[in-house]
Amino acid sequence: MIVRFPATAEGLLPAEDALTVGDPRVVQFLGALSARLLAPSVARAHPELGSLGFFLRRAELARTAAHLRKTDPHTVRRPRGLVFHVPPANVDTVFVYSWALSALAGNRNVVRLSSRSAGAADAVLAALNDALADADPVIARTQRMVSYGRDDVLTAELSAACDLRVLWGGDASVTALRRFPLSPLARDLAFPDRSSFAVLSAPGWLAAPGDVQRAAADGYANDVYWFDQAACSSPRTLYVAGTPADAEKALDGFRRELADAVHRRGWTVDAAMAVEKRIRTYGLAADGRASGVRFTGNELTWLDLTDGAEPPRGWLGTGVVAVARLDGLRDLAPLITPRDQTLSHFGFTGDELRALVTAVPGRGLDRIVPFGQALSFAPVWDGHDLLEEFTTRTTIRV
Amino acid sequence: MPTDTLGVPEVFRLTQPAKEERLLPEIVERLAAHRAGCPPYRQIMDAIGHGADRRYRRLEELPWLPVRMFKTHALKSIPDAAVFKTLTSSGTTGTPSRIFLDQHAAAAQSRMLSRTMQTVLGPHRLPMLLVDTRAILADRRTFSARGAGVLGMMGFGREHAWALDADGAVEPHTVEAFLHKHGDRPFLIFGFTFMVWLHLYELARDRGWDLSNGVLVHSGGWKKLQDRAVSPAEFRARFTADTGLRRIHNFYGMVEQIGTVFLEGPDGGGLYCPDFADVIIRDPRTWAEQPAGTPGLIELVSTLPTSYPGNVLLTEDLGVVHGVDDGAWPGKRFEVLGRLPRAEARGCSDVYAVPAQGRAAL
């Protein structure tokens, strides 16, 4: 086992110091971290760290902390205690969001980092350790980020010791980790495999001015390429709502704009990924689920979903847009399953989107965001309010 | 050895223009048959714009299938009842490829493989030294591409001797007994490239074995040898200098085009394509054919597959054509450079990395 943060710390479990909900010492530390992540050199090398830095900026955190500390005569909010985080191996920044909100809630934390983590994760760890110099020593005593290989003894020890276990990753990882018993008072907060898609209003697109269309396509490209279209919230299928004639016309324009946006941003797909995309998209054609597979260079692959085919919820490679037409937004409701997380939209009103949510049978759709915000992390994720989950309430009757 | 009056081997006779003229109509006809017999194949072709009415003027215009499709889908152009043999190749990971043969296809692949190999082995079975362990055939659970390759080659030899024990260590006495009995007449040595180099070469050099009557047929890539900095040219030169072995033939092929083998010519100038097959090197960015001298992804073209749509396959191997109609045998002269790395993606889920299609001996 290696302790990655604090770099000089020893041992698996943090000390028993108490932090408070919205602890100013944590706010101060996260602000110092944010400043380092927003440094131009870091943001240039890892654009996703710019978003993270923005999320953690001091003014925003101070507001969140104040909200957490707000009390009424009948309630006192308190930290949960020790939180054990198991973030996904492949998205380098999720562990920071999960950890930062938990620390802000006043918890002691142990984050298990993947041994495979690299690049952006290493840059974050460097910034974290660097920010410790100006931080209150309580931070180093109460927080731990460790990486270890497959070690059931350590996982069992952390699971037994924690008050809340936060599991991110695929269904298989979540299920495997749930085998390790928690103490009777503790609970799990799990973020398993999810899938996401996008919806475009054909009349809305056709009515939009050119610069609005361009910005929307730009945002869509970001949603698709940023995490190789492999994040849970990356859209895979694009539903186009409108008459066949409108949909065709809107799609023509959107295809052109998206190709331009991808080109403008300089996203590229390497040979291995290009082959991977062919295998997976040809596979959908072989299964009768795609009636058309078209390539705009290696970067963009357009699939026409067969009428009535189940939309692809698995990964298809970076830069695949599966397209299907709907008469209207309401026709999306019966297609939604509990697995579906984020809907990115363009050209609809708030009332139309709210009506859609009401029409969805059972669970499904936790986030509805405009094109370009699919990958923006928020304190409410997968339907869970993380600050609520990371705290507990004491009720008081006088 | 069956040759024409010029002494050119029977399946390495066609110049490139003659080959393209012969192969194109044959393969177009095959693809039409696969369209009719294999609905998933037809659906792929229709989806990518290769409908029944499309016409082709050059081999390079033909639609290729990624070879890994045979791992993800059961693609066959014959009814279930006609399946005579199902070949599987498994790498160390993931699902195996499944290749379906009917009796006619199984016979054809075996016949063409024989004719290709006889080019360098002659018409008769030779005493055979296998640079491998007999155990590779015993354990069906690990019966991998290596086992299948060994088994496929055994038919070309007789009085087989196994150079390695069950632990993979050389048994010098076995080799010396074999050489004592057969070493003064032509004999066959077969093994995977890195094993031949690691286990046979050093011992042969140190013990002064005379391999000058041997024909070495080897396959399986250079990756493990590149780590030891041995190039194909050095491999040949050192064997010749230190053991007298001159007739050395590397070959390249895969279970997805069973029976089609690309064979190193007597000049050591690269791999050659038999008359019923060809190779196209593609630019992985534009997918256009690369000119000679420029590396790219290897596409394999063969008339052999009739029971499954494997005539035009895009491999995940990198290669380069060194010359056309300019070597010991006519046609394209090419080299396999290595494997395309795996596609990796970041994402929230468990594993997005996918194993690349392994290169298998036959």
Side-chain angles (χ1 to χ4, degrees), chain A residues 38-59:
Chain A
L38 289 169
S41 61
V42 176
R44 251 199 316 276
H46 306 286
E48 62 270 49
L49 298 187
S51 309
L52 178 61
F54 189 72
F55 181 87
L56 296 173
R57 66 200 183 283
R58 194 184 300 259

PDB file of all heavy atoms in Angstrom, chain A residues 38-59:
ATOM      1  N   LEU A  38      -6.395  25.751 -11.159  1.00  0.00           N
ATOM      2  CA  LEU A  38      -6.741  26.747 -12.182  1.00  0.00           C
ATOM      3  C   LEU A  38      -5.504  27.408 -12.776  1.00  0.00           C
ATOM      4  O   LEU A  38      -5.617  28.224 -13.692  1.00  0.00           O
ATOM      5  CB  LEU A  38      -7.686  27.807 -11.597  1.00  0.00           C
ATOM      6  CG  LEU A  38      -9.108  27.313 -11.303  1.00  0.00           C
ATOM      7  CD1 LEU A  38      -9.898  28.329 -10.499  1.00  0.00           C
ATOM      8  CD2 LEU A  38      -9.847  26.980 -12.602  1.00  0.00           C
ATOM      9  N   ALA A  39      -4.317  27.052 -12.279  1.00  0.00           N
ATOM     10  CA  ALA A  39      -3.095  27.628 -12.848  1.00  0.00           C
ATOM     11  C   ALA A  39      -3.028  27.265 -14.327  1.00  0.00           C
ATOM     12  O   ALA A  39      -3.310  26.123 -14.700  1.00  0.00           O
ATOM     13  CB  ALA A  39      -1.870  27.081 -12.111  1.00  0.00           C
ATOM     14  N   PRO A  40      -2.680  28.246 -15.170  1.00  0.00           N
ATOM     15  CA  PRO A  40      -2.718  28.015 -16.625  1.00  0.00           C
ATOM     16  C   PRO A  40      -1.942  26.774 -17.060  1.00  0.00           C
ATOM     17  O   PRO A  40      -2.393  26.024 -17.921  1.00  0.00           O
ATOM     18  CB  PRO A  40      -2.079  29.288 -17.199  1.00  0.00           C
ATOM     19  CG  PRO A  40      -2.292  30.332 -16.139  1.00  0.00           C
ATOM     20  CD  PRO A  40      -2.275  29.618 -14.823  1.00  0.00           C
ATOM     21  N   SER A  41      -0.795  26.510 -16.436  1.00  0.00           N
ATOM     22  CA  SER A  41       0.021  25.370 -16.879  1.00  0.00           C
ATOM     23  C   SER A  41      -0.724  24.054 -16.662  1.00  0.00           C
ATOM     24  O   SER A  41      -0.693  23.156 -17.499  1.00  0.00           O
ATOM     25  CB  SER A  41       1.350  25.358 -16.112  1.00  0.00           C
ATOM     26  OG  SER A  41       1.098  25.229 -14.725  1.00  0.00           O
ATOM     27  N   VAL A  42      -1.421  23.950 -15.524  1.00  0.00           N
ATOM     28  CA  VAL A  42      -2.172  22.723 -15.219  1.00  0.00           C
ATOM     29  C   VAL A  42      -3.374  22.598 -16.153  1.00  0.00           C
ATOM     30  O   VAL A  42      -3.616  21.543 -16.754  1.00  0.00           O
ATOM     31  CB  VAL A  42      -2.645  22.728 -13.741  1.00  0.00           C
ATOM     32  CG1 VAL A  42      -3.498  21.499 -13.448  1.00  0.00           C
ATOM     33  CG2 VAL A  42      -1.444  22.781 -12.814  1.00  0.00           C
ATOM     34  N   ALA A  43      -4.118  23.693 -16.288  1.00  0.00           N
ATOM     35  CA  ALA A  43      -5.331  23.653 -17.107  1.00  0.00           C
ATOM     36  C   ALA A  43      -5.004  23.337 -18.566  1.00  0.00           C
ATOM     37  O   ALA A  43      -5.791  22.686 -19.258  1.00  0.00           O
ATOM     38  CB  ALA A  43      -6.073  24.982 -17.003  1.00  0.00           C
ATOM     39  N   ARG A  44      -3.826  23.789 -19.018  1.00  0.00           N
ATOM     40  CA  ARG A  44      -3.443  23.492 -20.406  1.00  0.00           C
ATOM     41  C   ARG A  44      -3.195  22.004 -20.594  1.00  0.00           C
ATOM     42  O   ARG A  44      -3.651  21.401 -21.558  1.00  0.00           O
ATOM     43  CB  ARG A  44      -2.176  24.272 -20.778  1.00  0.00           C
ATOM     44  CG  ARG A  44      -2.420  25.416 -21.773  1.00  0.00           C
ATOM     45  CD  ARG A  44      -1.132  25.842 -22.456  1.00  0.00           C
ATOM     46  NE  ARG A  44      -0.016  25.957 -21.526  1.00  0.00           N
ATOM     47  CZ  ARG A  44       0.235  27.033 -20.790  1.00  0.00           C
ATOM     48  NH1 ARG A  44      -0.560  28.084 -20.847  1.00  0.00           N
ATOM     49  NH2 ARG A  44       1.288  27.070 -19.983  1.00  0.00           N
ATOM     50  N   ALA A  45      -2.499  21.409 -19.633  1.00  0.00           N
ATOM     51  CA  ALA A  45      -2.156  19.984 -19.765  1.00  0.00           C
ATOM     52  C   ALA A  45      -3.383  19.093 -19.548  1.00  0.00           C
ATOM     53  O   ALA A  45      -3.528  18.055 -20.186  1.00  0.00           O
ATOM     54  CB  ALA A  45      -1.055  19.623 -18.767  1.00  0.00           C
ATOM     55  N   HIS A  46      -4.257  19.497 -18.633  1.00  0.00           N
ATOM     56  CA  HIS A  46      -5.427  18.660 -18.296  1.00  0.00           C
ATOM     57  C   HIS A  46      -6.657  19.552 -18.196  1.00  0.00           C
ATOM     58  O   HIS A  46      -6.994  20.020 -17.106  1.00  0.00           O
ATOM     59  CB  HIS A  46      -5.206  17.946 -16.958  1.00  0.00           C
ATOM     60  CG  HIS A  46      -3.936  17.149 -16.897  1.00  0.00           C
ATOM     61  ND1 HIS A  46      -3.782  15.954 -17.561  1.00  0.00           N
ATOM     62  CD2 HIS A  46      -2.760  17.389 -16.262  1.00  0.00           C
ATOM     63  CE1 HIS A  46      -2.554  15.496 -17.329  1.00  0.00           C
ATOM     64  NE2 HIS A  46      -1.927  16.332 -16.556  1.00  0.00           N
ATOM     65  N   PRO A  47      -7.345  19.792 -19.307  1.00  0.00           N
ATOM     66  CA  PRO A  47      -8.489  20.708 -19.289  1.00  0.00           C
ATOM     67  C   PRO A  47      -9.540  20.324 -18.240  1.00  0.00           C
ATOM     68  O   PRO A  47     -10.175  21.191 -17.660  1.00  0.00           O
ATOM     69  CB  PRO A  47      -9.068  20.596 -20.699  1.00  0.00           C
ATOM     70  CG  PRO A  47      -8.065  19.889 -21.513  1.00  0.00           C
ATOM     71  CD  PRO A  47      -7.079  19.215 -20.616  1.00  0.00           C
ATOM     72  N   GLU A  48      -9.701  19.024 -17.968  1.00  0.00           N
ATOM     73  CA  GLU A  48     -10.729  18.608 -17.017  1.00  0.00           C
ATOM     74  C   GLU A  48     -10.434  19.128 -15.616  1.00  0.00           C
ATOM     75  O   GLU A  48     -11.340  19.287 -14.799  1.00  0.00           O
ATOM     76  CB  GLU A  48     -10.913  17.083 -17.005  1.00  0.00           C
ATOM     77  CG  GLU A  48      -9.706  16.262 -16.592  1.00  0.00           C
ATOM     78  CD  GLU A  48      -8.822  15.876 -17.776  1.00  0.00           C
ATOM     79  OE1 GLU A  48      -8.481  16.767 -18.587  1.00  0.00           O
ATOM     80  OE2 GLU A  48      -8.455  14.697 -17.875  1.00  0.00           O
ATOM     81  N   LEU A  49      -9.152  19.419 -15.335  1.00  0.00           N
ATOM     82  CA  LEU A  49      -8.809  19.944 -14.016  1.00  0.00           C
ATOM     83  C   LEU A  49      -9.229  21.399 -13.881  1.00  0.00           C
ATOM     84  O   LEU A  49      -9.450  21.885 -12.766  1.00  0.00           O
ATOM     85  CB  LEU A  49      -7.312  19.777 -13.740  1.00  0.00           C
ATOM     86  CG  LEU A  49      -6.833  18.325 -13.712  1.00  0.00           C
ATOM     87  CD1 LEU A  49      -5.390  18.242 -13.255  1.00  0.00           C
ATOM     88  CD2 LEU A  49      -7.713  17.472 -12.812  1.00  0.00           C
ATOM     89  N   GLY A  50      -9.370  22.080 -15.010  1.00  0.00           N
ATOM     90  CA  GLY A  50      -9.904  23.437 -14.989  1.00  0.00           C
ATOM     91  C   GLY A  50     -11.329  23.425 -14.458  1.00  0.00           C
ATOM     92  O   GLY A  50     -11.692  24.222 -13.584  1.00  0.00           O
ATOM     93  N   SER A  51     -12.137  22.466 -14.954  1.00  0.00           N
ATOM     94  CA  SER A  51     -13.528  22.348 -14.475  1.00  0.00           C
ATOM     95  C   SER A  51     -13.559  22.039 -12.998  1.00  0.00           C
ATOM     96  O   SER A  51     -14.396  22.554 -12.250  1.00  0.00           O
ATOM     97  CB  SER A  51     -14.263  21.209 -15.187  1.00  0.00           C
ATOM     98  OG  SER A  51     -14.108  21.331 -16.548  1.00  0.00           O
ATOM     99  N   LEU A  52     -12.661  21.157 -12.589  1.00  0.00           N
ATOM    100  CA  LEU A  52     -12.607  20.772 -11.183  1.00  0.00           C
ATOM    101  C   LEU A  52     -12.218  21.981 -10.321  1.00  0.00           C
ATOM    102  O   LEU A  52     -12.837  22.240  -9.278  1.00  0.00           O
ATOM    103  CB  LEU A  52     -11.587  19.638 -11.020  1.00  0.00           C
ATOM    104  CG  LEU A  52     -11.336  19.112  -9.614  1.00  0.00           C
ATOM    105  CD1 LEU A  52     -12.613  18.541  -9.009  1.00  0.00           C
ATOM    106  CD2 LEU A  52     -10.254  18.040  -9.653  1.00  0.00           C
ATOM    107  N   GLY A  53     -11.230  22.721 -10.771  1.00  0.00           N
ATOM    108  CA  GLY A  53     -10.797  23.924 -10.052  1.00  0.00           C
ATOM    109  C   GLY A  53     -11.939  24.921  -9.914  1.00  0.00           C
ATOM    110  O   GLY A  53     -12.133  25.536  -8.864  1.00  0.00           O
ATOM    111  N   PHE A  54     -12.723  25.033 -10.985  1.00  0.00           N
ATOM    112  CA  PHE A  54     -13.854  25.950 -10.992  1.00  0.00           C
ATOM    113  C   PHE A  54     -14.909  25.499  -9.979  1.00  0.00           C
ATOM    114  O   PHE A  54     -15.478  26.289  -9.235  1.00  0.00           O
ATOM    115  CB  PHE A  54     -14.441  26.002 -12.408  1.00  0.00           C
ATOM    116  CG  PHE A  54     -15.464  27.063 -12.600  1.00  0.00           C
ATOM    117  CD1 PHE A  54     -15.099  28.415 -12.653  1.00  0.00           C
ATOM    118  CD2 PHE A  54     -16.809  26.743 -12.738  1.00  0.00           C
ATOM    119  CE1 PHE A  54     -16.059  29.412 -12.835  1.00  0.00           C
ATOM    120  CE2 PHE A  54     -17.765  27.732 -12.920  1.00  0.00           C
ATOM    121  CZ  PHE A  54     -17.388  29.065 -12.965  1.00  0.00           C
ATOM    122  N   PHE A  55     -15.149  24.197  -9.942  1.00  0.00           N
ATOM    123  CA  PHE A  55     -16.124  23.610  -9.010  1.00  0.00           C
ATOM    124  C   PHE A  55     -15.720  23.900  -7.561  1.00  0.00           C
ATOM    125  O   PHE A  55     -16.566  24.091  -6.695  1.00  0.00           O
ATOM    126  CB  PHE A  55     -16.183  22.100  -9.262  1.00  0.00           C
ATOM    127  CG  PHE A  55     -17.160  21.344  -8.395  1.00  0.00           C
ATOM    128  CD1 PHE A  55     -18.490  21.211  -8.787  1.00  0.00           C
ATOM    129  CD2 PHE A  55     -16.754  20.741  -7.212  1.00  0.00           C
ATOM    130  CE1 PHE A  55     -19.394  20.500  -7.998  1.00  0.00           C
ATOM    131  CE2 PHE A  55     -17.656  20.032  -6.422  1.00  0.00           C
ATOM    132  CZ  PHE A  55     -18.975  19.910  -6.822  1.00  0.00           C
ATOM    133  N   LEU A  56     -14.417  23.913  -7.305  1.00  0.00           N
ATOM    134  CA  LEU A  56     -13.912  24.054  -5.931  1.00  0.00           C
ATOM    135  C   LEU A  56     -13.535  25.494  -5.571  1.00  0.00           C
ATOM    136  O   LEU A  56     -12.879  25.722  -4.556  1.00  0.00           O
ATOM    137  CB  LEU A  56     -12.672  23.164  -5.741  1.00  0.00           C
ATOM    138  CG  LEU A  56     -12.899  21.660  -5.874  1.00  0.00           C
ATOM    139  CD1 LEU A  56     -11.572  20.923  -5.843  1.00  0.00           C
ATOM    140  CD2 LEU A  56     -13.817  21.150  -4.774  1.00  0.00           C
ATOM    141  N   ARG A  57     -13.932  26.456  -6.400  1.00  0.00           N
ATOM    142  CA  ARG A  57     -13.467  27.817  -6.102  1.00  0.00           C
ATOM    143  C   ARG A  57     -14.048  28.296  -4.775  1.00  0.00           C
ATOM    144  O   ARG A  57     -15.160  27.928  -4.392  1.00  0.00           O
ATOM    145  CB  ARG A  57     -13.757  28.761  -7.266  1.00  0.00           C
ATOM    146  CG  ARG A  57     -15.202  29.017  -7.542  1.00  0.00           C
ATOM    147  CD  ARG A  57     -15.379  29.548  -8.972  1.00  0.00           C
ATOM    148  NE  ARG A  57     -16.794  29.860  -9.221  1.00  0.00           N
ATOM    149  CZ  ARG A  57     -17.717  28.930  -9.471  1.00  0.00           C
ATOM    150  NH1 ARG A  57     -17.394  27.652  -9.501  1.00  0.00           N
ATOM    151  NH2 ARG A  57     -18.971  29.293  -9.678  1.00  0.00           N
ATOM    152  N   ARG A  58     -13.282  29.136  -4.115  1.00  0.00           N
ATOM    153  CA  ARG A  58     -13.523  29.465  -2.714  1.00  0.00           C
ATOM    154  C   ARG A  58     -14.900  30.072  -2.456  1.00  0.00           C
ATOM    155  O   ARG A  58     -15.589  29.678  -1.508  1.00  0.00           O
ATOM    156  CB  ARG A  58     -12.430  30.413  -2.214  1.00  0.00           C
ATOM    157  CG  ARG A  58     -12.403  30.548  -0.702  1.00  0.00           C
ATOM    158  CD  ARG A  58     -11.369  31.558  -0.283  1.00  0.00           C
ATOM    159  NE  ARG A  58     -10.031  31.195  -0.719  1.00  0.00           N
ATOM    160  CZ  ARG A  58      -9.129  30.635   0.081  1.00  0.00           C
ATOM    161  NH1 ARG A  58      -9.418  30.381   1.330  1.00  0.00           N
ATOM    162  NH2 ARG A  58      -7.934  30.335  -0.359  1.00  0.00           N
ATOM    163  N   ALA A  59     -15.339  30.978  -3.328  1.00  0.00           N
ATOM    164  CA  ALA A  59     -16.615  31.663  -3.077  1.00  0.00           C
ATOM    165  C   ALA A  59     -17.758  30.651  -3.066  1.00  0.00           C
ATOM    166  O   ALA A  59     -18.653  30.691  -2.202  1.00  0.00           O
ATOM    167  CB  ALA A  59     -16.855  32.716  -4.160  1.00  0.00           C
TER     168      ALA A  59
END
